[in-house]
């Protein structure tokens, strides 16, 4: 038996309608839709080496051996082996690099797990000669981190079964077809309000929704928002886009705050920025809006036509609320690719 390698770049994504709550093996409580990003990505080089004894995994992050990721990768491999049994006689060396710093407070699980799933499937394809299959890769990525399932496609990706999205599934994401061209060049500037590790992980947060008093209302709102978002994405209805995206972000955090135990991931400057964005939109003819993932940092979404004006607003007024003035300029991207 010989060794195999695979090298993939996979991006992060930002949800427009959020996934919050899961059951079974990482199956979502509701369908979600996201923009795939471009600049925030993970490059992973995977080497599969024939093993003699037990399966071994080693991980290097930016060239340094890192054992803190091993439990998550071990857990992922336990899910992968029944799906890709052709990999069971290998040990793995994972060399990975994120474009966004670890200390930026941006979750790397979507890009990291999708990059690893792509590498795993690629090596399985080399071993057996079967074709790469993005649906299957997305399913694998989901087992590592739910939102990672959506990073497999760009620029817009849907995960979770919903009557209005043909072919949608709880098991894997599908690409959204037919979005208005305005969304192909949409910008996402990520304001880093807090670089720290989250106090409550997404996994714990997902768990708390199961017995949440607002759970059923949330699933109903998410279902409706997915329905409306389909039309909004197809027609480029930016006014409704802004409304749904902001409502979703605030509902996600309202669910966190009203969980038992309650937790709050927003910081004072998160709220300050939200207020300033709303004020800016009122006084300028702008479609700038905010969204949040499970953290304090603020994603600003806006059309490319507003790049200069919003850029000035960020530099002159919002930057002061970012940790060390740090923000990341990203945009909607085309999805993962293989690195030669
Ligand atoms: O994929 P996870 O388990 O890290 O959960 C992601 C949850 C949110 O980012 C808050 C929402 C989403 O749909 O990405």
């Amino acid at each position: 038996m010989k060794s195999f390698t695979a090298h993939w770049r996979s991006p992060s994504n930002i949800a427009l309608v959020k996934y919050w709550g899961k059951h079974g093996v990482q199956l979502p409580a509701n369908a979600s839709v996201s923009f795939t990003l471009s600049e925030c990505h993970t490059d992973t080089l995977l080497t599969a080496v024939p093993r003699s004894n037990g399966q071994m995994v080693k991980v290097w992050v930016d060239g340094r051996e890192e054992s803190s990721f091993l439990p998550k990768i071990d857990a992922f491999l336990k899910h992968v082996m029944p799906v890709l049994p052709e990999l069971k006689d290998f040990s793995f060396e994972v060399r990975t690099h994120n474009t966004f710093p670890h200390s930026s407070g941006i979750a790397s699980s979507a890009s990291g797990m999708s990059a690893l799933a792509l590498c795993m499937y690629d090596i399985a394809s080399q071993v057996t000669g079967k074709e790469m299959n993005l649906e299957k890769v997305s399913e694998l990525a989901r087992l590592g981190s739910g939102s990672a399932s959506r990073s497999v496609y760009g620029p817009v990706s849907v995960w979770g079964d919903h009557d209005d999205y043909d072919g949608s599934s709880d098991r894997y994401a599908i690409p959204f077809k037919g979005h208005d061209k305005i969304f192909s060049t949409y910008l996402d500037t990520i304001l880093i309000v807090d670089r720290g590790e989250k106090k409550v992980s997404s996994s714990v947060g997902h768990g708390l929704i199961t017995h949440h008093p607002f759970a059923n209302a949330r699933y109903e709102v998410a279902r409706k928002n997915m329905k409306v978002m389909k039309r909004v994405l197809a027609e480029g209805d930016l006014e409704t886009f802004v409304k749904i995206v902001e409502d979703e972000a605030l509902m996600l955090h309202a669910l966190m705050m009203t969980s038992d135990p309650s937790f709050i991931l927003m910081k004072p400057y998160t709220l300050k920025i939200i207020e300033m964005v709303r004020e800016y939109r009122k006084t300028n003819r702008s479609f700038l809006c905010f969204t949040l993932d499970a953290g304090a940092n603020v994603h600003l979404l806006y059309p490319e036509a507003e790049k200069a004006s919003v850029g000035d607003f960020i530099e002159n007024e919002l930057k002061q609320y970012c940790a060390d003035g740090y923000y990341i300029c990203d945009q909607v991207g085309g999805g993962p690719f293989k690195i030669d």
Side-chain angles (χ1 to χ4, degrees), residues 85-258:
E86 54 272 48
L87 298 184
K88 75 179 180 345
D89 295 325
F90 291 92
S91 283
F92 298 99
E93 294 173 5
V94 183
R95 289 176 175 81
T96 188
H97 164 73
N98 281 346
T99 48
F100 43 105
H102 283 302
S103 59
S104 66
I106 299 190
S108 54
S109 61
S111 55
M113 282 300 171
S114 54
L116 190 56
L118 283 155
C119 290
M120 290 273 173
Y121 204 90
D122 186 333
I123 290 182
S125 302
Q126 293 175 45
V127 173
T128 61
K130 69 180 166 196
E131 294 271 300
M132 275 301 270
N133 176 326
L134 287 184
E135 213 164 86
K136 294 244 160 58
V137 173
S138 172
E139 188 164 1
L140 269 191
R142 183 203 98 223
L143 297 170
S145 163
S147 56
S149 66
R150 296 187 310 243
S151 278
V152 169
Y153 317 97
V156 187
S157 191
V158 173
W159 170 43
D161 184 29
H162 191 290
D163 287 350
D164 292 23
Y165 293 79
D166 284 348
S168 62
S169 168
D170 282 352
R171 289 189 294 121
Y172 46 79
I174 55 168
F176 179 87
K177 302 252 170 64
H179 61 273
D180 186 275
K181 67 179 184 323
I182 195 154
F183 295 116
S184 306
T185 54
Y186 234 65
L187 302 176
D188 178 6
T189 302
I190 309 162
L191 306 180
I192 308 302
V193 171
D194 185 28
R195 287 170 178 263
E197 284 246 328
K198 288 183 286 200
K199 290 206 178 59
V200 179
S201 71
S202 295
S203 314
V204 172
H206 285 295
L208 292 175
I209 191 84
T210 316
H211 302 292
H212 198 293
F214 304 157
N216 288 334
R218 162 61 193 155
Y219 304 148
E220 187 52 26
V221 170
R223 203 188 56 74
K224 279 196 193 132
N225 282 346
M226 283 296 288
K227 186 182 187 66
V228 180
M229 190 53 102
K230 184 181 175 200
R231 179 191 61 74
V232 163
L233 289 170
E235 293 176 4
D237 172 358
L238 294 189
E239 209 163 306
T240 314
F241 178 84
V242 165
K243 164 127 182 62
I244 295 181
V245 166
E246 293 193 350
D247 284 354
E248 277 287 319
L250 294 177
M251 181 171 264
L252 170 70
H253 282 256
L255 288 166
M256 295 172 185
M257 288 192 253
T258 50

Side-chain angles (χ1 to χ4, degrees), residues 3-24:
S3 296
F4 295 87
T5 61
H7 199 184
W8 281 82
R9 168 169 297 177
S10 191
S12 187
N13 68 74
I14 181 69
L16 308 170
V17 174
K18 311 286 182 183
Y19 141 63
W20 198 239
K22 58 182 169 184
H23 61 96

